[in-house]
Amino acid sequence: MNKFKSFLSPQLQQYLIYRQNLGYSMKPSLSHLKTFDRYLKQRQAEQVLLQPSFFVQMQADIKIEPRSVNRLLSSVRVFFNYLVRTGAYDHNPVKDIPYLPENDILPYIFSPEQVNHLLAAVSNRIRKVSKCKYLKDLSGYMAIVLLARCGLRIGEPLRLKLNHYRFDEKTIYIEKTKFKKDRLIPLPQSVAIEIENYLAVRWCLLANVDNKYLLANSTPRGLNDNRVRSVFHQAVSDIGLEQPRQITGNLNISCPTPHSLRHSFAVNTLSGIKKRGGCPNNALPVLATYMGHSSYMYTIKYLKVIDAQQRLGLVNFIGAHPDQQ
């Protein structure tokens, strides 16, 4: 089924097939290309060779954050490189379009105590009215435990299969990561204990159900992304940490999201090393491998992120002194 409606629909569809055949994941690019396709329809663009001015106008018209506009433009630029290679265009009209200046991001950081409160809130909402609801809620709790205690991305625990947990080693094997790098990570003892307790319950409740996922639903499927997000946001509300995202000057102050647990894991790990008298810089290569970064250079940014208490002080200062911006 063709996902596109504009005059470039055939080329966009062919490009998707081409990239998928090369083994690329098209999930992020597909969203960008759909936005581009809708914009073409809204502008009623016809079968013409698009000029650079069209894309400059698109940057101004699309009302999303500059960072997101730049990601969109990057995907469109790669698409037009493909059109040049196929002979549809002589040159790439997006090639010299500059990126928009991006805002700095201040991620939400949970303190270690807040992480404990969050997990307790999720646990308290596990329903025991039926086997189906109990297993579903317990699986959601375990997904958030892995985000908080191991710094996983939200999709990673949802893709885990039963054989990805290794009892003897107390490790989990994570495949199909963001950077196409599989990794094997050791679990903290407390997490390994929770997983094995969960599995004991899972095997009792799903004795006659063929379900390959580690974090199972009551059906042969695993949990979905929306379920985990819903559980997370309900727990955030329960412990009184719900707050909107703010934009102040060129600073985006993030609200709590499931990915905040990954940020918090990294920041709290480095902060803990520093408090014990160690050197956080020396831990970067190990932390990068643990978190699945393609290079520890991506992990360096966490050295610049202030901890939860300092972040709160900065946010309070900005709120009390808006004229300083």
Side-chain angles (χ1 to χ4, degrees):
M1 179 179 176
N2 198 325
K3 300 176 174 62
F4 306 105
K5 306 297 181 183
S6 70
F7 79 90
L8 281 176
S9 171
Q11 291 92 333
L12 286 164
Q13 190 67 23
Q14 290 163 12
Y15 171 68
L16 279 186
I17 296 170
Y18 166 74
R19 295 281 288 184
Q20 287 167 345
N21 288 340
L22 291 177
Y24 289 98
S25 171
M26 291 303 296
K27 187 175 181 180
S29 296
L30 179 57
S31 174
H32 298 155
L33 295 176
K34 283 183 174 180
T35 300
F36 173 56
D37 182 70
R38 287 194 297 271
Y39 182 74
L40 289 172
K41 285 284 291 181
Q42 291 168 3
R43 287 287 304 273
Q44 299 180 336
E46 299 179 353
Q47 196 76 28
V48 295
L49 293 179
L50 299 175
Q51 300 301 314
S53 58
F54 180 88
F55 299 96
V56 172
Q57 187 62 48
M58 182 178 76
Q59 283 182 309
D61 289 342
I62 295 181
K63 303 304 181 184
I64 54 179
E65 289 186 28
R67 184 180 300 269
S68 299
V69 173
N70 290 342
R71 303 300 177 271
L72 165 64
L73 196 69
S74 178
S75 294
V76 173
R77 180 178 287 127
V78 176
F79 167 62
F80 276 90
N81 282 338
Y82 164 79
L83 293 185
V84 171
R85 290 196 300 273
T86 60
Y89 273 69
D90 293 331
H91 66 281
N92 187 336
V94 196
K95 179 181 177 181
D96 297 320
I97 305 298
Y99 288 125
L100 299 175
E102 295 185 4
N103 289 350
D104 293 325
I105 294 178
L106 181 63
Y108 190 90
I109 302 297
F110 291 95
S111 69
E113 295 75 20
Q114 288 171 336
V115 171
N116 292 338
H117 293 157
L118 179 78
L119 292 175
V122 176
S123 178
N124 290 338
R125 280 189 167 269
I126 295 176
R127 295 167 293 178
K128 302 178 178 65
V129 295
S130 70
K131 292 180 180 180
C132 174
K133 288 183 171 59
Y134 181 67
L135 181 64
K136 184 176 182 179
D137 291 353
L138 187 60
S139 294
Y141 166 76
M142 285 308 308
I144 293 177
V145 166
L146 290 170
L147 299 183
R149 302 301 192 199
C150 302
L152 301 192
R153 302 177 182 92
I154 189 169
E156 291 174 344
L158 306 186
R159 291 194 296 267
L160 289 172
K161 306 298 192 300
L162 274 170
N163 63 332
H164 288 162
Y165 176 63
R166 304 183 179 184
F167 282 89
D168 294 339
E169 303 171 0
K170 309 303 181 191
T171 60
I172 54 174
Y173 177 69
I174 302 173
E175 60 182 5
K176 300 178 182 177
T177 67
K178 179 179 178 181
F179 295 102
K180 311 298 180 184
K181 290 179 64 176
D182 297 353
R183 70 190 192 274
L184 184 70
I185 66 171
L187 296 177
Q189 183 178 7
S190 61
V191 176
I193 290 172
E194 291 215 60
I195 283 185
E196 291 180 12
N197 289 339
Y198 160 78
L199 286 173
V201 173
R202 180 192 185 283
W203 285 326
C204 288
L205 298 181
L206 290 184
N208 300 316
V209 178
D210 181 19
N211 191 314
K212 61 184 179 180
Y213 289 98
L214 180 69
L215 304 182
N217 212 327
S218 57
T219 65
R221 300 170 303 184
L223 292 178
N224 62 52
D225 180 290
N226 289 337
R227 174 61 186 168
V228 176
R229 291 182 188 278
S230 175
V231 169
F232 170 85
H233 287 295
Q234 184 61 64
V236 167
S237 177
D238 288 347
I239 63 175
L241 293 181
E242 201 171 28
Q243 57 188 258
R245 183 172 65 95
Q246 304 174 51
I247 299 179
T248 303
N250 65 344
L251 180 67
N252 285 4
I253 302 174
S254 299
C255 61
T257 70
H259 202 69
S260 302
L261 293 172
R262 177 172 166 86
H263 291 311
S264 302
F265 169 81
V267 170
N268 292 334
T269 296
L270 295 173
S271 177
I273 291 171
K274 185 176 180 180
K275 288 178 181 177
R276 293 192 296 271
C279 178
N281 284 290
N282 294 340
L284 289 176
V286 176
L287 183 60
T289 301
Y290 193 94
M291 297 186 71
H293 290 152
S294 60
S295 165
Y296 80 89
M297 298 301 293
Y298 289 99
T299 322
I300 288 177
K301 66 183 181 181
Y302 291 115
L303 290 175
K304 302 177 183 179
V305 178
I306 53 184
D307 65 26
Q309 191 61 39
Q310 291 173 312
R311 180 192 183 279
L312 179 60
L314 176 60
V315 172
N316 288 341
F317 174 81
I318 292 172
H321 302 83
D323 55 313
Q324 298 292 321
Q325 303 304 312

